[in-house]
Amino acid sequence: MWEDSVGPGARQPICALTAAHIDDFDRSELMKFKDAGLDVMESKPCNIPRLFKVVDDMFKSLQLPAIACALVALSSAAAQSDEYTKIDNHPCLRDYNGITKSMFDLADANPTLATVTDIGDTYLKLHPGSAITEMSDIPEDGFDIWGFNVTNSDSSHTSDEKAKVLIISGVHSREYATSELNMRFAEKLLDGFGDNSDINWILNHTEVHFIFTANPDGRYMAESDVELWWRKNANFENGSTCDHPEDNPGVDMNRNYPFAWGREDGASADPCMDDFFGSAPGSEPEVQAVIAYAKSIFPEHQFLDDPENSIDMERGENTTGVFIDIHSSGRMIYYPWGFVDQIAPDDDALQAFGRKLAKADDPSRDHVLWAPEQPDFMYPASGDATDYMYGALGVASFGFEIGQNFDEDCPVFEDEVVADNIPALMYAVKAASLPLFYSQGPDILSLSVHVDEEYEESSNEIHISVKASDSELVNIENYPTFHTGDQAVNGVTLFLDVHPENHNGAGHTWELAFVDTKDGIDTFGKVVRMPSDVSPGRHIVYAQAVDSDGYLGPVTSSWIDVPEITNPNQLLDGDGMINPCEVTIGRSSNSPLTVDCDKIGKQEEPRKEIKPLIEEIDNGTRSKALSLASLAATAIVGLVL
């Protein structure tokens, strides 16, 4: 099955029909209806929601032979979704083998978007035969640990130029839902590329790395004997004094990182306790594998030489990269510091980011910030991954405690865990290039871009509407309002086909006009006449808001399909003059004059200059050189004034 997803003539596979299904139809008939949405290709996992959309479109246009084959494809898709092994009594949660097979299948199906890397070995692979033999189904030979990188390798940006995200799961092996959620997010990114405009630019500008199962030995044990409630890895070297295997010998990987390690107020020195911190900082091979992988992807210039003596040093708003560690349960978001109830030096940015991760979920359900100097700081956890990644590698780091139980029921997992946390993960990857800067800026809550009905014949107008807010996502229920959300939204800029971080003054940009405000949400809009040098076809529009303190928020985007112009005269006004409606003229860097169709000559509120940091990133300012059209518009405005 195929779907047009990038523009005329650009088609992407939704899923394959197997040879058995193809044999049910006459091949010549299938080829006849290829343009209706059918094709044969090498095996690819089905994107069921997109497949349903194509089938629905076929029904609307009465492409009956195509419908018949598409329905068979739906049947095939359903079979594909059941081909991966699941955890007993949890049909929505793939087990270790199912997750691993899914990972390799995704890499095979998306060779330019996904790669698998062997990043290390588990304890039992390095020490075969060391497991306690009376425990059932112990993987005596251990496992490899896998990293999974999702990015567009055909992008014009090199790896060094891309933002980095690392999301790990399956650290505590009894927390079944974490690996499944992580895999669902990877699948969303891969399924959405070519179709979802935000995912397109994310994968062009960002590497999203995954470790789906950070503790394979422990996960295998937890799945083999659910009564063990296994949490730790399978290093039993220090657990020989435990009375029973059920006492859980092994090391808690999330107390073994070499930052604030060994503090008994946040971990245990007892090998039989669930939070045993191990024999030495970073002693466990699984932890070593995660650290080595993180160091290979995050920028080295951010690493600290003496992390534990630098806990009061700001990492800074130019910090890049995001680390996320997914656990369960409790519906919590946490961030540094975790080893002590004390705020980190970048708390404004970390707290704003953490609050937005929580608010990105469904606001109708309770959320908790397990964070320093918050009412819901539960207890200290020393030697954990988030403190290490922020404290030692200088990366914005967060933890998720998802759902309500370790072994989440499927209705709760599907309706709450997935629905709540996928938007939060999307926010994280959108802000990954400058997380400690963007988290303090305003958010685009909605972006609507549509072509005027009379575009082809007379108007060539594009209607744009944006809702933005500095406070909506950062202020969460049951917590005080936060000061990073106190600023006004000073403006919204649209960029055509050039991501704001790559904008150097060339290309088309528009400043939107303020329309109204309600409940802390501002509406901006504009009717733009599309410039004549914009070719027909699919384009991408990026929107970014700025607040009165000069903080920018994360970028949001939308596709726009520009029709072909049939009347060349529509590029001019009735009197033959160039229409100035889309022109923004900078009278000074701090007080641009927006020329709007119904407000020609009216001065907008002065917009403060964007923080110098962004100018450094762009290697220049965002001021736009005036074209001949702008000069003509300047003359018009001068006459009006």
Side-chain angles (χ1 to χ4, degrees):
M1 298 295 301
W2 295 79
E3 180 182 38
D4 289 340
S5 58
V6 179
R11 297 153 64 82
Q12 290 215 344
I14 298 174
C15 67
L17 300 179
T18 65
H21 290 134
I22 294 300
D23 288 344
D24 292 337
F25 295 87
D26 182 88
R27 189 168 296 271
S28 63
E29 285 295 310
L30 291 180
M31 297 306 293
K32 184 184 300 183
F33 289 94
K34 177 177 179 179
D35 290 335
L38 293 173
D39 211 334
V40 182
M41 56 169 288
E42 294 181 3
S43 180
K44 173 185 173 69
C46 281
N47 181 338
I48 297 177
R50 289 166 65 192
L51 182 55
F52 268 113
K53 179 181 181 301
V54 170
V55 174
D56 182 60
D57 291 343
M58 290 175 181
F59 269 107
K60 290 176 181 177
S61 55
L62 295 178
Q63 299 172 44
L64 297 181
I67 291 170
C69 197
L71 292 176
V72 175
L74 280 174
S75 174
S76 175
Q80 287 179 29
S81 68
D82 290 332
E83 72 176 271
Y84 301 111
T85 51
K86 308 295 196 324
I87 296 172
D88 289 346
N89 302 315
H90 293 80
C92 60
L93 305 179
R94 281 164 281 194
D95 62 13
Y96 171 75
N97 290 329
I99 290 288
T100 304
K101 185 176 188 301
S102 297
M103 176 185 67
F104 280 101
D105 286 351
L106 287 172
D108 289 344
N110 300 275
T112 64
L113 297 177
T115 55
V116 177
T117 303
D118 184 344
I119 65 171
D121 299 325
T122 64
Y123 183 87
L124 290 181
K125 185 165 186 181
L126 295 173
H127 304 85
S130 65
I132 299 175
T133 55
E134 60 263 33
M135 302 178 81
S136 60
D137 255 349
I138 298 301
E140 294 189 11
D141 295 329
F143 297 94
D144 294 311
I145 303 171
W146 303 106
F148 189 67
N149 180 17
V150 177
T151 190
N152 180 18
S153 61
D154 290 339
S155 165
S156 61
H157 301 282
T158 66
S159 177
D160 288 342
E161 295 171 331
K162 293 182 179 182
K164 306 298 193 298
V165 178
L166 174 58
I167 309 174
I168 72 172
S169 53
V171 172
H172 292 150
S173 45
R174 65 192 178 191
E175 299 170 6
Y176 293 146
T178 64
S179 296
E180 182 67 33
L181 175 67
N182 210 7
M183 177 59 73
R184 296 282 185 101
F185 185 55
E187 291 170 335
K188 176 182 176 66
L189 295 178
L190 291 169
D191 287 344
F193 186 76
D195 185 31
N196 181 296
S197 61
D198 278 339
I199 291 175
N200 255 51
W201 74 253
I202 287 168
L203 297 191
N204 284 331
H205 291 79
T206 311
E207 292 180 4
V208 187
H209 295 260
F210 299 85
I211 302 175
F212 298 114
T213 310
N215 179 12
D217 287 348
R219 180 59 179 259
Y220 190 91
M221 295 167 66
E223 293 173 0
S224 300
D225 189 349
V226 296
E227 299 300 324
L228 289 174
W229 285 93
W230 199 267
R231 169 185 169 96
K232 299 186 283 184
N233 74 352
N235 177 2
F236 304 144
E237 180 180 351
N238 297 287
S240 59
T241 59
C242 299
D243 293 335
H244 303 286
E246 290 78 4
D247 287 332
N248 281 353
V251 176
D252 183 349
M253 290 171 50
N254 210 36
R255 301 296 186 273
N256 187 242
Y257 282 83
F259 183 90
W261 176 88
R263 295 171 57 111
E264 293 193 42
D265 58 346
S268 176
D270 184 348
C272 301
M273 295 297 292
D274 268 350
D275 58 351
F276 174 52
F277 51 53
S279 59
S283 60
E284 302 312 293
E286 296 88 351
V287 170
Q288 295 167 13
V290 174
I291 290 175
Y293 192 52
K295 285 184 173 181
S296 74
I297 62 177
F298 291 123
E300 186 176 356
H301 72 267
Q302 294 183 178
F303 301 172
L304 283 84
D305 295 330
D306 189 7
E308 296 198 37
N309 288 320
S310 305
I311 63 172
D312 295 324
M313 186 185 78
E314 288 188 358
R315 276 49 177 172
E317 293 174 353
N318 60 344
T319 292
T320 184
V322 172
F323 170 79
I324 291 175
D325 188 4
I326 305 177
H327 290 265
S328 64
S329 58
R331 298 184 55 78
M332 303 175 186
I333 299 292
Y334 61 89
Y335 50 86
W337 298 117
F339 74 93
V340 63
D341 189 3
Q342 171 185 320
I343 63 171
D346 298 288
D347 186 70
D348 279 1
L350 290 169
Q351 185 174 164
F353 203 111
R355 284 167 168 256
K356 291 181 179 184
L357 293 177
K359 190 63 176 285
D361 302 349
D362 185 339
S364 67
R365 291 190 275 270
D366 293 334
H367 301 85
V368 171
L369 293 179
W370 180 352
E373 299 186 7
Q374 297 291 346
D376 296 303
F377 184 86
M378 307 291 285
Y379 51 80
S382 56
D384 90 317
T386 52
D387 275 1
Y388 172 82
M389 296 294 174
Y390 172 73
L393 303 191
V395 177
S397 302
F398 304 89
F400 286 38
E401 293 281 357
I402 62 172
Q404 303 173 13
N405 296 287
F406 293 151
D407 56 339
E408 202 69 79
D409 291 336
C410 283
V412 174
F413 178 77
E414 297 289 358
D415 297 339
E416 296 185 16
V417 173
V418 175
D420 289 357
N421 291 285
I422 293 295
L425 294 170
M426 279 294 294
Y427 177 88
V429 298
K430 289 172 74 172
S433 60
L434 289 171
L436 301 185
F437 180 76
Y438 287 150
S439 66
Q440 300 179 75
D443 298 288
I444 303 292
L445 305 178
S446 68
L447 168 61
S448 172
V449 181
H450 70 274
V451 176
D452 188 89
E453 293 180 358
E454 305 297 326
Y455 185 98
E456 296 179 41
E457 294 294 330
S458 59
S459 77
N460 72 299
E461 290 180 346
I462 306 296
H463 297 254
I464 303 162
S465 177
V466 167
K467 292 187 183 298
S469 176
D470 207 45
S471 60
E472 176 68 14
L473 295 187
V474 80
N475 292 327
I476 59 177
E477 191 173 356
N478 300 322
Y479 286 83
T481 59
F482 197 52
H483 62 87
T484 62
D486 291 344
Q487 291 68 46
V489 179
N490 239 30
V492 176
T493 305
L494 257 65
F495 302 78
L496 183 65
D497 291 329
V498 178
H499 191 279
E501 291 180 1
N502 303 123
H503 184 251
N504 59 5
H508 298 287
T509 64
W510 298 280
E511 300 289 337
L512 302 191
F514 173 77
V515 177
D516 63 26
T517 185
K518 182 178 181 182
D519 299 328
I521 299 174
D522 296 330
T523 300
F524 294 79
K526 200 172 188 67
V527 177
V528 171
R529 285 202 166 181
M530 190 60 71
S532 59
D533 62 349
V534 176
S535 62
R538 173 155 285 191
H539 296 265
I540 187 169
V541 173
Y542 301 95
Q544 190 171 40
V546 63
D547 70 17
S548 55
D549 280 352
Y551 282 99
L552 292 164
V555 173
T556 292
S557 68
S558 175
W559 296 121
I560 178 171
D561 293 308
V562 176
E564 187 170 358
I565 295 172
T566 58
N567 177 14
N569 292 328
Q570 72 191 75
L571 294 175
L572 304 177
D573 280 348
D575 58 2
M577 297 295 291
I578 295 174
N579 189 298
C581 297
E582 76 278 9
V583 179
T584 297
I585 303 166
R587 295 198 299 189
S588 72
S589 61
N590 291 328
S591 56
L593 177 65
T594 299
V595 183
D596 203 10
C597 294
D598 57 350
K599 298 180 182 179
I600 292 181
K602 182 177 179 181
Q603 177 67 52
E604 299 281 347
E605 287 293 321
R607 171 179 169 181
K608 291 189 180 180
E609 186 174 350
I610 295 172
K611 299 192 72 158
L613 166 68
I614 301 303
E615 296 181 359
E616 295 172 11
I617 292 170
D618 285 345
N619 295 318
T621 66
R622 296 201 175 187
S623 61
K624 298 178 281 295
L626 292 176
S627 63
L628 290 176
S630 298
L631 291 174
T634 305
I636 297 170
V637 174
L639 291 174
V640 173
L641 292 176

